[in-house]
Amino acid sequence: MTGRHQRETLEREAGHLAPGASDEAAVGRRVFAEGHGPVLTDLDGNQYLDFAAGTLTQSLGHGHPDVVEALTAQARLLWNVHDSATPGRAALLELLARLLPEHLNTYALFSTGAEVVEAALRVVQATAEPGRNRIGALRGGFHGKTMGARMLVHWDVGHQAFAGNSVLGYSPYCYRCPLELSRPSCGLRCASLVRKHIADKPNVSALVFEPVLGAAGVVVPPPGYWEQITEACRANGVLLVADEVLTGGGRTGTFLASEQFGIEPDLVTLSKGMASGFPFAVLAGRAGLLRHPVASVTGAHSATYGGNPLGIAAARATLEVVERDRLVERVRVLGELLHERLAPLPARFENLGDVRGLGLLYGLEFVTDRQSRTPAPHLARAVYARALDLGLRVALGGHILRLAPPFTLDEPLLDEGVSLLEQALEQVLS
């Protein structure tokens, strides 16, 4: 429960802070004061295992000493010189080249996920052949809250519709198949329609996609989905733009989730897991695109805070630890254990419709009943709140709870977190 000191702080904020916070902040009503490793402490001294890793940003947990040291040292030296070269930037670019697939060898630096998605869209538009004036995206995808990112997925705001020039394809949401089919008899109809409406169209320049859809509820594609789509895109000259803002950096057990599915994207956007929660984003791509004369005119890849020395220091320290400590391999090991613990849960709880995930990224979907599969956000909120009271923080969004613990977690703490989640499920759903 929220204690006195937290209530007082929340009341002070309420007179000035605009409403519209995330579900988890609105429901949880916690004031977090400290974070060390996988543990958060609130203003009243209560502690929580953070199985949301900040907002899927704290791959190394909170306050990792290497990141603290790098930021402290950089803070004494230099903060912002726009996009001028710095020693740290050169080292970071070389590190990215080691971690990313070889063909993604050119980079532009930004500060947020939405900003880097917008940058990718500019590159697509600058390099597209005449007549290729449409962009493909997937229903249920999420690419940010800026205008271009919203227009990709036809995300209306208020009474305003922003369809833009995008064409929507079907995501591989097997639990809620939009075509009312089921595997394997469906023949991956969702993929064949993406191919028909996007990949095979001569007026489409690119497909922008999340390899694993995050905000939609950790939608993991079945075998064959991406293989069919990417083959068709390649054959027809449609660029592949992977939005790995959420999954990039090792979250799924490979540095890019694209690698899990044999996708070789032309452009990749990365942000959340790259810099331990500091504003940092990178657009990685083929040299032929990011060095294209039209895409690289003066100022094209420049941004006020993009590539600032503090963000670079945080990213470099974070990724050096990921590389040095072989944390992507660690994610695969922990992910198998997490799967073993979570997979049996739907059989125990009628209102837990589905559990799915990859590596250290899992989604739990709550429903009113198993037959109708009607989304039950009230149950997700109740389980989220109860888990917080028990000492576990997860990520809440609609009728989905997401689990994304830090890569540095050990097996006993992983077990403890899942046990707390089971207690919350039992107390709310039984």
Side-chain angles (χ1 to χ4, degrees), residues 294-311:
V294 181
S296 59
V297 297
T298 301
H301 303 314
S302 179
T304 299
Y305 303 107
N308 75 81
L310 287 167

Side-chain angles (χ1 to χ4, degrees), residues 126-207:
T127 60
E129 300 172 359
R132 287 188 180 267
N133 56 1
R134 309 296 295 276
I135 297 176
L138 297 181
R139 290 175 171 85
F142 178 80
H143 303 288
K145 297 177 182 176
T146 52
M147 182 71 79
R150 292 204 315 261
M151 290 171 67
L152 268 177
V153 292
H154 301 189
W155 178 8
D156 297 346
V157 176
H159 300 293
Q160 305 301 314
F162 301 108
N165 65 341
S166 66
V167 182
L168 295 184
Y170 288 105
S171 59
Y173 200 165
C174 295
Y175 183 71
R176 296 186 180 280
C177 177
L179 304 171
E180 300 184 346
L181 301 173
S182 59
R183 291 184 62 213
S185 60
C186 65
L188 290 177
R189 181 64 174 158
C190 54
S192 65
L193 287 174
V194 173
R195 190 184 68 231
K196 177 180 178 181
H197 295 144
I198 295 173
D200 291 344
K201 291 291 187 181
N203 63 343
V204 172
S205 57
L207 171 61

Side-chain angles (χ1 to χ4, degrees), residues 120-335:
L121 294 177
R122 292 195 298 272
V123 172
V124 168
Q125 292 166 337
T127 60
E129 300 172 359
R132 287 188 180 267
N133 56 1
R134 309 296 295 276
I135 297 176
L138 297 181
R139 290 175 171 85
F142 178 80
H143 303 288
K145 297 177 182 176
T146 52
M147 182 71 79
R150 292 204 315 261
M151 290 171 67
L152 268 177
V153 292
H154 301 189
W155 178 8
D156 297 346
V157 176
H159 300 293
Q160 305 301 314
F162 301 108
N165 65 341
S166 66
V167 182
L168 295 184
Y170 288 105
S171 59
Y173 200 165
C174 295
Y175 183 71
R176 296 186 180 280
C177 177
L179 304 171
E180 300 184 346
L181 301 173
S182 59
R183 291 184 62 213
S185 60
C186 65
L188 290 177
R189 181 64 174 158
C190 54
S192 65
L193 287 174
V194 173
R195 190 184 68 231
K196 177 180 178 181
H197 295 144
I198 295 173
D200 291 344
K201 291 291 187 181
N203 63 343
V204 172
S205 57
L207 171 61
V208 181
F209 63 93
E210 298 167 273
V212 175
L213 281 78
V218 190
V219 176
V220 181
Y225 177 85
W226 281 121
E227 290 86 342
Q228 184 178 155
I229 293 169
T230 56
E231 181 180 354
C233 286
R234 284 274 171 258
N236 193 38
V238 174
L239 295 177
L240 295 167
V241 181
D243 182 344
E244 300 232 17
V245 166
L246 185 148
T247 52
R251 173 62 59 187
T252 64
T254 47
F255 194 77
L256 297 180
S258 298
E259 298 173 80
Q260 300 267 356
F261 307 105
I263 305 168
E264 289 192 6
D266 300 288
L267 295 169
V268 176
T269 62
L270 305 103
S271 184
K272 281 185 181 292
M274 301 293 282
S276 293
F278 280 79
F280 177 83
V282 57
L283 175 61
R286 298 182 187 273
L289 291 171
L290 288 175
R291 297 181 185 274
H292 188 284
V294 181
S296 59
V297 297
T298 301
H301 303 314
S302 179
T304 299
Y305 303 107
N308 75 81
L310 287 167
I312 284 175
R316 183 182 170 193
T318 301
L319 297 177
E320 283 177 345
V321 173
V322 169
E323 181 184 45
R324 181 194 71 202
D325 295 349
R326 303 168 70 102
L327 290 183
V328 177
E329 294 178 20
R330 180 73 178 154
V331 168
R332 291 197 288 271
V333 172
L334 291 173

Side-chain angles (χ1 to χ4, degrees), residues 407-421:
F407 304 172
T408 50
L409 204 68
D410 60 26
E411 286 88 341
L413 282 178
L414 182 74
D415 281 336
E416 181 181 341
V418 176
S419 295
L420 291 171
L421 175 65

